[in-house]
Amino acid sequence: MDSNRLLAPPAPIRTSAQQQDPPNNGLEDLTPSSSLVDHSPLSLQVPSSPTAKSLGGETLRSRADSFNSTAETSRSRANSFNSKAETTRSRGNSDLTTLRSRFEGDDLTTEEALRPDKTNEKDFEIDIDNCPFAFSPGQLNKTLNPKSLAAYRALGGIYGLERGLHTDLVAGLSVDETSIPDRISFEEATTSPRSKKPLDSRPIIAQDAIVSNREVKGQFHDRRRVYKDNRLPAKKAVTIWRLFWNAYNDRVLLILTAAAVISLVLGVYEAVGQTPAPGESKSLDWVEGLAIMVAIVIVVLVTGLNDYRREKQFSALNARKDDRHVKAIRSGKSIMISVYDVMVGDILHLESGDSIPADGILVGGHGIRCDESSATGESDAMKKTAGPEVWQRMIEGSATSKLDPFIISGSKVLEGVGTYLVTSVGINSSFGKIMIGVQAETEETPLQAKLAKMANWIGYLGTSAAGLLFFILLFRFLAGLPSNTDSPAKRGSTFLDILIVAITIIVVAVPEGLPVAVTLALSFATKRMFKENNLVRYLRACETMGNATTICSDKTGTLTQNKMTVVAGLLGTQINFARDVDMSDDEKTILTLPTAFGKLSSTVRSLLLQSVAVNSTAFEGEEEGKATYIGSKTETALLTMAKEFLGMGPVAEERAGVEVVQLFPFDSDRKCMGVVIRLGSGTYRLLVKGAAEIMLEHATQELANLSEEPLEPIELSGSAALHISGNIEDFATQSLRTIAMLYKDFPQWPPAGAGTLEEDRSTAMFEDIFHEMVFLGVVGIQDPLRDGVAHSVTRCQDAGIVVRMVTGDNLTTASAIARQCGIKTEKGLVMEGPKFRQLSDEDMDAILPNLQVLARSSPDDKRILVARLKHLGETVAVTGDGTNDGPALKMADVGFSMGIAGTEVAKEASAIILMDDNFSSIVKAVMWGRSVNDAVSKFLQFQITVNITAVVLAFISAVASSKMHSVLSAVQLLWVNLIMDTFAALALATDAPTEKILDRKPTPKRAPLITTNMWKMIIGQAIYQLLVTFVLYFAGYDILGYDTKCLPQNLGSECPDLIGAALDVCLRDAVPKCVDTMHTELNTMVFNTFVWMQIFNEFNNRRLDNKFNIFEGVLRNYFFIGINCIMVAGQIMIVFVGGKAFQIKRIDGTQWAVCILCALPCLLWAVVLRCIPDMYAGKVFDFVSKVWLTIARPVIRVLAVVFRPVGKLGHKISSTVFAPTKRFSKRTVSRMRKSKGMTDEDVPRKGRATAADEEAAADASEMRQFAPPKTPPQQQASCGFGMQPPPITLTTAS
């Protein structure tokens, strides 16, 4: 270790000479409010008298447990390390009565409290010469690993952290900070006296001074260098070479490679090692082996590049998903910053619903409670105590282990508001360490799982066909060996040809492209959905949303613009006001806002101002470079009103002049929020605002005269209550949100007779004090509907999706807005949440089909609604923005959280985040979800058609051939496989949805993957393609007019006159030329026709319904056009220059015309198939499937019994063959790790993390990286046939 580096704890470390303090360096006034100048954060006591002096600069402390002990302890705990000072005890009388803190670790020294663990000693190393801070990352972590008040004390408490981190507990970090020139030592930070001024009295920067959150070059350079930023290391990207290896590391491809290598070796041996017969050219059989290897390389390259593209796309989505904005105080101004830009030393705001981004210490707040289950496993809500209070309690000696000022990253704020000092970020934070140590496997989406099973089933059938073909050809080969006069190399090559064809059929039959198609469709859809303001957090939500049958939507911000303005109101029961007043109307009692507020006395104006400004969590900040209010739109509307008509200055100044005693955060169950302030007279005032009709229920008094001093509450009469209620109803019918304000004065706090919290007797229970309130006024807030929301609701209804509005507004307001949106119909039901939740399950199920609006609902009502809808078989999408909406968002099939107004808890509980909070974006999500499902169905229909045709054609042609050669060679089949698995997936998965996709009903949850219409097209196209190719293959010589006289099977009948030398000439010259030319040309035409039929059929598969326009929107899909151009160009090039590699011959124009004209009618045939009603097709397929199952089941059972031993033997052989390769790979990887200095401890593996880490990671799975879904590995088909054919369920496509 370098000399200038120090292993923490670095202080207090003094030599004996340095330890001698001045003789009178004692405490001038050791009172609970004074600062501690003991120079030892570990010796904390309070003398019995506030005027007591320390003796000789040394602190007297009682080491006995009794407060009445007379023992005197003369000890300097700060100098106990490397010190020769002696600690003495006196049993004599003492003039001080000392208190002792009682918490875990109270008796630890600084060295013991901050001692590093062996596993994280590097975190405690700091470069003394270049570090301007007093603490290392490891020291700061000691407060939370686990929670340690002893470490907090050793660091000098909240004020030691403030000094050591060069920050300010009120103003936060400076936005202009770059490098820090001043250096501060550990000892200076932890022992210097703090400012005498309390936090509340420190100056606040004027709010009219705009603090920009612009990028400053080199901003926070030293902080980033020492403490890093708030980013976790990106998951190491899979290199493109690794992706190539993964694509190649398929058992079937490996076997095919081995066969190709052997074929190449034998071909080279035939060409070089053997002399050709007279008149024969050298053997070119080696070309096929080489061509197969080249084709495998191309397949691997294309697959690897495709996977690399997906990895890049999902990495980009990761960055967008994890980034969010938090509220920070910098240069005394509250601003929004990216969570990635949070620095150690930042002061961050906390409020209900926040997800804590970094570790820290609570600076101050009201009623902060956190859910730390995701970080510590503790299920109880943890009450937080402000750091200054904990430090003061330590000074007084009354600190206990129950005190908890620690804010843990990854936890959630359940209630309360406050600020905290950030002490650890990124990889140094507690949650960051958990996330680095525990790796999560990516889950399959439901559609991927279904397709993987189907792919395995199809693969089993293809493998069975390949195995049957191999054994048929093998028996024929063995039977012909006695009469075979070929050389051994030639016979070996023939056997390899049989093996290669069988293996290639497996390659074609196994549809590994099915799960890839899902991934491609999801990748494309999520990228486009983000552009349309849908941030997909879980891929499964994308495909599920396409089948949603009901949407339970919030009102505010989703259906409305969330741009709220106070437009009307009632002050007391006497003054009505409105923003737009027509003085020519009879309603001359309605005043304008300036006139109405001008009639108020100064006391009433002050009371209203406090109700709006102090009883609020909104604050001033910036958006797009303009000063604005940030927070709930309801509160910002009230603050704007106060600023315009009540003369409100900067919000921070208004709040700084008021002493807040207790705060009651907004609660969605009670629909209100409140604050208790201390008045100058020594009395206390409770201010409450919330839903107007609920507030009115708790009001029993009103102000007698709003224009006179002082405040004079009188009883609220029945007529006055009816007048207020009538105004609330009028506002509601105009679609206005109604907010009422109440207050009540108390002589003491907590009030006599009110219940208090057990852990804090100074905190009153809200329910015990919220009664007999004084009515102050009610305002109506306008929130206009979003443009196009009525059209979006109509489109959802046309798509078979029921839209329900779930809102906290009253019944009248909710009904009015629901009618404007088109949600409420004449037969629709409107119900309030309290009544709904009291219904029985049977009654709920009876009304749910007609329920359209749920007003005055709580988050629990929303959760119950979602649960009952799911019970009825609905696929439910729900929106939410509050912390308490989490359960409903989790329970729904697809949860949408609000990107603007939503809390972090709501966002993490959701599957999709609406970046613009707009209902129209939900409709876009439905369209893209349906597009994903359609893309998969299109590709599935295309690939199964190709599978059936290719396997049957290769099988029958190989069996019928005298040379046991398939009409489709191995290289040709690999080209077809490339078309199926990659090109077609890219082309069919990238069709963007159109509005017409909403013209059909949702697909039921249990609907099969292949519908009746799809089966009709698959079977119909397969029949047409097989008929065309078989006619060309078996009757092509006659149809095309080839001369067949000299074919081997016709010699002796067609050429009876050829004898002797003439026959030899014919056999040597004419016959080989005739056979090679005609046979190769015909096979080329069959192959060419087959490929062109797949290209044309790809257009057929762009539609899944029975409509005829298959070219709709094709010009907008550049991927589809580009991929088809590649396939067409590739096919033309293969036919012209493929030659020996593809075992084809260049054909002329007439033959090209025959191929195209044979393939093109598949477009017309698709029209014919679409004219067949699905109902009749379904009956036919149902009958065929029953016959198939009756025959197939006993056959498969027999095959399973017969071939299971063979399968086991094959598995053992393959394991034995590939075992050396696996061992070699492991050794190679191990050597690479060692060369990089990595050990097994550096490699995360299952079981490495502790149980607590695993539990924490499981609870915090929402914050994990959004990794791209891995294509499920295909289970290799064996000869065991250990499977049953799945039942074929048929549905009729609409």
Side-chain angles (χ1 to χ4, degrees):
M1 189 180 298
D2 297 338
S3 59
N4 64 336
R5 299 182 70 85
L6 185 64
L7 191 63
I13 303 176
R14 298 181 181 177
T15 63
S16 55
Q18 292 172 324
Q19 295 174 31
Q20 297 176 2
D21 295 329
N24 294 322
N25 191 22
L27 291 177
E28 292 297 325
D29 183 14
L30 191 57
T31 65
S33 61
S34 67
S35 61
L36 181 68
V37 249
D38 172 42
H39 300 289
S40 170
L42 297 177
S43 300
L44 305 174
Q45 68 288 321
V46 176
S48 57
S49 170
T51 59
K53 308 288 184 181
S54 62
L55 304 179
E58 295 181 345
T59 302
L60 300 180
R61 182 181 181 187
S62 171
R63 297 294 294 178
D65 288 336
S66 171
F67 292 141
N68 296 323
S69 171
T70 58
E72 294 179 23
T73 304
S74 176
R75 184 180 184 188
S76 174
R77 294 294 300 270
N79 301 332
S80 61
F81 186 61
N82 282 352
S83 174
K84 296 183 180 180
E86 298 181 356
T87 302
T88 61
R89 274 190 175 183
S90 171
R91 295 292 182 180
N93 295 331
S94 171
D95 63 338
L96 298 176
T97 302
T98 63
L99 300 177
R100 181 183 179 191
S101 302
R102 294 181 178 177
F103 55 84
E104 186 176 355
D106 180 32
D107 56 347
L108 295 178
T109 64
T110 301
E111 177 192 7
E112 294 168 340
L114 299 179
R115 178 176 296 160
D117 301 323
K118 292 183 178 180
T119 57
N120 62 353
E121 288 183 347
K122 291 183 179 180
D123 294 341
F124 287 74
E125 296 178 0
I126 56 175
D127 190 342
I128 297 177
D129 295 335
N130 296 318
C131 180
F133 306 105
F135 311 119
S136 65
Q139 288 174 311
L140 296 174
N141 274 333
K142 290 298 288 187
T143 59
L144 292 172
N145 192 24
K147 295 178 183 178
S148 171
L149 287 174
Y152 175 69
R153 183 177 60 183
L155 294 173
I158 190 74
Y159 304 109
L161 291 168
E162 179 186 27
R163 290 187 296 270
L165 296 177
H166 290 287
T167 186
D168 189 283
L169 298 181
V170 174
L173 299 178
S174 170
V175 294
D176 298 319
E177 177 189 314
T178 52
S179 298
I180 300 176
D182 300 330
R183 301 288 187 266
I184 186 169
S185 67
F186 182 98
E187 185 178 20
E188 291 171 340
T190 57
T191 60
S192 298
R194 73 173 179 88
S195 170
K196 295 282 187 181
K197 293 183 179 181
L199 294 178
D200 294 340
S201 65
R202 299 193 193 181
I204 298 176
I205 293 179
Q207 294 300 303
D208 55 357
I210 301 299
V211 178
S212 174
N213 57 352
R214 69 186 188 282
E215 184 84 14
V216 176
K217 187 175 181 180
Q219 190 178 39
F220 305 124
H221 170 74
D222 283 338
R223 292 186 191 275
R224 294 179 190 273
R225 178 173 54 84
V226 176
Y227 298 118
K228 312 300 180 187
D229 57 17
N230 200 30
R231 285 178 171 85
L232 293 179
K235 187 177 181 181
K236 189 174 181 181
V238 182
T239 64
I240 192 169
W241 304 109
R242 181 67 184 177
L243 292 173
F244 288 150
W245 171 250
N246 291 341
Y248 178 68
N249 196 18
D250 179 270
R251 186 172 299 179
V252 177
L253 283 182
L254 293 174
I255 295 174
L256 186 60
T257 303
V261 170
I262 297 174
S263 175
L264 176 63
V265 171
L266 288 176
V268 171
Y269 173 72
E270 288 184 46
V272 177
Q274 292 187 340
T275 303
E280 292 184 2
S281 59
K282 287 189 176 182
S283 173
L284 295 177
D285 288 346
W286 59 271
V287 175
E288 182 179 10
L290 179 62
I292 293 174
M293 295 174 65
V294 172
I296 291 173
V297 170
I298 293 174
V299 170
V300 169
L301 287 176
V302 173
T303 305
L305 290 172
N306 193 19
D307 291 341
Y308 183 72
R309 173 177 167 272
R310 289 190 294 116
E311 289 278 346
K312 287 293 185 182
Q313 285 186 345
F314 280 104
S315 296
L317 286 175
N318 277 339
R320 299 190 188 111
K321 166 187 170 290
D322 294 334
D323 192 12
R324 55 189 172 93
H325 285 78
V326 295
K327 303 169 187 174
I329 300 176
R330 287 185 176 174
S331 296
K333 182 82 171 184
S334 294
I335 60 175
M336 303 294 291
I337 64 173
S338 169
V339 70
Y340 295 142
D341 294 334
V342 173
M343 294 286 127
V344 169
D346 258 323
I347 304 297
L348 299 185
H349 284 279
L350 293 175
E351 60 183 61
S352 178
D354 282 350
S355 178
I356 297 173
D359 295 339
I361 304 295
L362 183 64
V363 174
H366 297 277
I368 296 285
R369 289 180 179 271
C370 295
D371 174 12
E372 297 178 351
S373 58
S374 62
T376 65
E378 177 60 52
S379 59
D380 295 335
M382 306 300 294
K383 182 180 182 298
K384 299 299 177 180
T385 307
E389 181 181 346
V390 173
W391 184 246
Q392 188 65 37
R393 295 275 292 274
M394 286 181 169
I395 294 174
E396 296 172 356
S398 59
T400 66
S401 295
K402 291 185 177 181
L403 297 178
D404 185 1
F406 307 111
I407 305 298
I408 302 179
S409 56
S411 57
K412 315 292 189 303
V413 181
L414 298 179
E415 58 184 63
V417 294
T419 57
Y420 81 103
L421 168 66
V422 175
T423 57
S424 295
V425 295
I427 59 175
N428 294 318
S429 65
S430 54
F431 192 73
K433 291 180 181 295
I434 292 175
M435 296 312 299
I436 292 174
V438 179
Q439 297 293 331
E441 291 295 329
T442 305
E443 295 182 0
E444 293 179 353
T445 68
L447 193 55
Q448 280 179 316
K450 287 182 181 179
L451 287 176
K453 292 179 181 179
M454 175 168 283
N456 288 336
W457 178 65
I458 297 173
Y460 278 127
L461 293 179
T463 304
S464 302
L468 182 60
L469 174 64
F470 175 75
F471 284 112
I472 291 175
L473 298 183
L474 179 62
F475 293 151
R476 287 180 57 184
F477 173 73
L478 295 176
L481 279 179
S483 59
N484 193 332
T485 59
D486 292 336
S487 65
K490 189 70 174 178
R491 281 179 285 179
S493 178
T494 303
F495 172 76
L496 278 176
D497 289 342
I498 296 173
L499 178 62
I500 288 173
V501 170
I503 295 173
T504 309
I505 287 179
I506 296 177
V507 174
V508 175
V510 174
E512 64 272 12
L514 286 180
V516 174
V518 185
T519 306
L520 285 172
L522 288 171
S523 170
F524 181 73
T526 51
K527 185 176 180 180
R528 294 291 296 272
M529 286 175 70
F530 181 79
K531 294 180 179 179
E532 296 181 350
N533 298 309
N534 284 275
L535 176 55
V536 180
R537 302 184 70 249
Y538 298 106
L539 290 178
R540 65 175 59 229
C542 186
E543 62 190 48
T544 305
M545 192 60 206
N547 301 322
T549 58
T550 183
I551 300 174
C552 300
S553 174
D554 285 340
K555 175 187 74 70
T556 304
T558 308
L559 299 172
T560 61
Q561 297 180 18
N562 204 20
K563 295 179 180 178
M564 299 193 182
T565 308
V566 176
V567 296
L570 173 66
L571 300 177
T573 58
Q574 308 146 20
I575 303 176
N576 284 84
F577 66 87
R579 186 171 292 271
D580 298 319
V581 179
D582 188 353
M583 298 306 296
S584 63
D585 294 341
D586 295 333
E587 300 178 358
K588 294 185 179 180
T589 55
I590 300 178
L591 307 177
T592 61
L593 271 76
T595 305
F597 287 105
K599 287 181 173 291
L600 303 179
S601 66
S602 60
T603 306
V604 175
R605 291 171 65 90
S606 176
L607 178 58
L608 273 174
L609 194 56
Q610 291 173 347
S611 296
V612 172
V614 180
N615 188 20
S616 173
T617 57
F619 60 92
E620 289 172 309
E622 283 185 16
E623 285 185 358
E624 298 179 355
K626 297 181 180 179
T628 185
Y629 296 114
I630 297 175
S632 164
K633 297 302 180 182
T634 302
E635 295 190 36
T636 59
L638 292 171
L639 289 174
T640 302
M641 178 195 73
K643 181 178 181 180
E644 292 177 352
F645 305 109
L646 291 175
M648 184 184 72
V651 175
E653 291 184 3
E654 296 288 346
R655 294 171 181 171
V658 178
E659 181 183 351
V660 176
V661 178
Q662 187 175 343
L663 188 144
F664 301 99
F666 178 81
D667 187 278
S668 55
D669 290 326
R670 57 184 179 231
K671 303 293 183 185
C672 64
M673 62 188 299
V675 65
V676 179
I677 61 175
R678 179 169 179 156
L679 304 178
S681 61
T683 58
Y684 298 85
R685 176 169 292 166
L686 169 65
L687 302 170
V688 181
K689 71 168 183 271
E693 65 274 14
I694 295 178
M695 297 296 99
L696 185 58
E697 293 174 0
H698 293 81
T700 59
Q701 300 179 77
E702 63 169 319
L703 291 176
N705 195 324
L706 299 178
S707 302
E708 297 180 359
E709 309 279 355
L711 300 177
E712 184 182 349
I714 61 174
E715 183 180 355
L716 183 66
S717 63
S719 59
L722 286 175
H723 177 64
I724 297 172
S725 179
N727 276 269
I728 294 173
E729 187 74 13
D730 290 341
F731 295 155
T733 55
Q734 300 173 48
S735 303
L736 302 182
R737 168 171 287 188
T738 53
I739 302 295
M741 291 168 282
L742 313 177
Y743 84 97
K744 185 178 181 180
D745 291 336
F746 296 91
Q748 66 181 49
W749 197 264
T756 59
L757 296 180
E758 181 179 352
E759 62 271 23
D760 187 358
R761 294 300 181 185
S762 65
T763 302
M765 303 290 290
F766 183 77
E767 291 74 14
D768 292 342
I769 59 174
F770 187 43
H771 55 82
E772 299 179 358
M773 304 292 291
V774 181
F775 180 80
L776 186 57
V778 60
V779 295
I781 302 176
Q782 185 182 57
D783 186 11
L785 282 182
R786 286 186 178 273
D787 295 334
V789 70
H791 173 72
S792 297
V793 170
T794 302
R795 294 301 290 135
C796 283
Q797 293 168 344
D798 294 341
I801 303 172
V802 178
V803 181
R804 295 176 171 88
M805 188 171 76
V806 184
T807 179
D809 284 337
N810 63 42
L811 202 66
T812 307
T813 303
S815 298
I817 295 178
R819 287 192 185 93
Q820 294 178 29
C821 296
I823 294 175
K824 175 71 172 65
T825 61
E826 292 182 1
K827 297 181 180 180
L829 292 179
V830 180
M831 184 174 288
E832 289 187 327
K835 294 181 180 179
F836 174 77
R837 72 178 74 117
Q838 293 175 2
L839 297 176
S840 64
D841 290 346
E842 293 77 11
D843 292 338
M844 283 186 187
D845 295 345
I847 69 164
L848 280 179
N850 295 320
L851 181 65
Q852 294 176 341
V853 179
L854 189 62
R856 278 291 171 238
S857 64
S858 67
D860 197 48
D861 297 330
K862 186 184 292 185
R863 181 189 60 79
I864 295 171
L865 175 64
V866 171
R868 294 315 303 171
L869 287 171
K870 291 186 68 176
H871 175 75
L872 295 177
E874 302 278 359
T875 300
V876 185
V878 65
T879 67
D881 57 5
T883 302
N884 293 337
D885 287 329
L889 291 170
K890 278 286 189 183
M891 181 174 290
D893 294 288
V894 181
F896 286 88
S897 63
M898 304 296 106
I900 299 173
T903 64
E904 292 306 319
V905 172
K907 291 176 184 178
E908 291 183 12
S910 65
I912 299 176
I913 299 175
L914 294 178
M915 307 300 290
D916 59 351
D917 293 7
N918 195 340
F919 184 84
S920 298
S921 297
I922 300 178
V923 181
K924 293 291 186 182
V926 174
M927 294 172 61
W928 277 107
R930 293 190 176 189
S931 176
V932 168
N933 293 327
D934 285 357
V936 173
S937 296
K938 293 173 186 177
F939 180 72
L940 183 62
Q941 180 174 304
F942 173 79
Q943 187 166 54
I944 293 180
T945 304
V946 182
N947 273 7
I948 293 174
T949 311
V951 172
V952 173
L953 178 61
F955 185 96
I956 293 178
S957 61
V959 172
S961 172
S962 59
K963 293 186 178 181
M964 297 180 290
H965 287 171
S966 167
V967 66
L968 300 177
S969 68
V971 181
Q972 293 172 5
L973 286 172
L974 287 174
W975 167 241
V976 172
N977 185 67
L978 188 64
I979 292 175
M980 285 194 313
D981 289 340
T982 302
F983 291 151
L986 282 169
L988 294 173
T990 51
D991 266 334
T994 64
E995 287 285 336
K996 293 182 180 179
I997 205 169
L998 297 174
D999 292 339
R1000 67 172 190 258
K1001 303 301 180 184
T1003 304
K1005 287 183 177 180
R1006 298 186 179 276
L1009 287 173
I1010 306 178
T1011 65
T1012 301
N1013 187 58
M1014 292 172 63
W1015 276 120
K1016 180 178 67 176
M1017 298 301 294
I1018 290 170
I1019 301 300
Q1021 286 291 339
I1023 291 174
Y1024 173 81
Q1025 293 180 17
L1026 287 173
L1027 282 175
V1028 171
T1029 51
F1030 283 150
V1031 168
L1032 276 177
Y1033 181 69
F1034 290 106
Y1037 293 106
D1038 296 327
I1039 295 174
L1040 299 175
Y1042 285 154
D1043 185 4
T1044 59
K1045 292 182 179 180
C1046 294
L1047 291 179
Q1049 61 266 30
N1050 294 330
L1051 288 178
S1053 59
E1054 298 292 339
C1055 304
D1057 298 331
L1058 292 178
I1059 56 174
L1063 179 62
D1064 293 337
V1065 172
C1066 181
L1067 292 174
R1068 185 180 69 247
D1069 300 329
V1071 172
K1073 183 177 180 180
C1074 179
V1075 171
D1076 287 346
T1077 301
M1078 290 190 299
H1079 189 69
T1080 305
E1081 281 185 356
L1082 189 60
N1083 284 355
T1084 301
M1085 293 181 66
V1086 172
F1087 165 65
N1088 196 29
T1089 303
F1090 176 79
V1091 171
W1092 278 99
M1093 282 192 292
Q1094 309 317 318
I1095 294 173
F1096 291 136
N1097 191 41
E1098 189 182 7
F1099 285 85
N1100 287 329
N1101 289 310
R1102 293 189 70 248
R1103 290 206 81 106
L1104 294 172
D1105 52 23
N1106 287 322
K1107 296 180 180 179
F1108 299 145
N1109 187 5
I1110 59 175
F1111 300 103
E1112 183 180 1
V1114 69
L1115 296 179
R1116 293 193 298 268
N1117 189 348
Y1118 300 112
F1119 268 105
F1120 187 89
I1121 296 173
I1123 293 298
N1124 277 275
C1125 288
I1126 292 174
M1127 289 193 294
V1128 169
Q1131 180 63 21
I1132 293 173
M1133 185 180 66
I1134 287 171
V1135 173
F1136 275 92
V1137 300
K1140 187 65 178 177
F1142 281 82
Q1143 298 181 15
I1144 59 178
K1145 181 182 181 298
R1146 183 181 298 187
I1147 56 180
D1148 58 27
T1150 302
Q1151 293 165 331
W1152 264 102
V1154 170
C1155 295
I1156 299 298
L1157 291 176
C1158 287
L1160 191 60
C1162 72
L1163 296 175
L1164 300 176
W1165 178 242
V1167 174
V1168 175
L1169 292 174
R1170 286 189 166 95
C1171 292
I1172 300 174
D1174 291 343
M1175 179 179 63
Y1176 298 129
K1179 291 180 180 179
V1180 173
F1181 293 144
D1182 190 38
F1183 173 76
V1184 173
S1185 65
K1186 290 179 180 178
V1187 174
W1188 154 254
L1189 293 175
T1190 303
I1191 298 174
R1193 279 173 177 161
V1195 173
I1196 290 176
R1197 291 192 184 101
V1198 172
L1199 291 175
V1201 173
V1202 173
F1203 287 101
R1204 185 172 288 120
V1206 179
K1208 292 180 179 179
L1209 178 62
H1211 178 70
K1212 289 182 180 179
I1213 293 174
S1214 63
S1215 299
T1216 304
V1217 171
F1218 289 103
T1221 305
K1222 290 183 178 179
R1223 288 196 297 269
F1224 174 76
S1225 300
K1226 288 181 179 179
R1227 289 170 183 163
T1228 304
V1229 172
S1230 178
R1231 291 192 190 100
M1232 291 173 63
R1233 286 175 182 162
K1234 290 180 180 179
S1235 66
K1236 295 180 180 179
M1238 297 175 63
T1239 65
D1240 290 340
E1241 296 296 329
D1242 299 322
V1243 182
R1245 68 172 187 265
K1246 190 175 181 180
R1248 172 75 64 192
T1250 63
D1253 288 346
E1254 291 177 353
E1255 182 180 359
D1259 291 337
S1261 60
E1262 295 86 356
M1263 295 185 65
R1264 290 173 179 153
Q1265 275 198 331
F1266 187 20
K1270 299 177 182 176
T1271 301
Q1274 299 299 314
Q1275 298 179 10
Q1276 301 302 324
S1278 67
C1279 296
F1281 295 91
M1283 58 91 186
Q1284 291 287 336
I1288 301 175
T1289 308
L1290 300 174
T1291 60
T1292 301
S1294 56

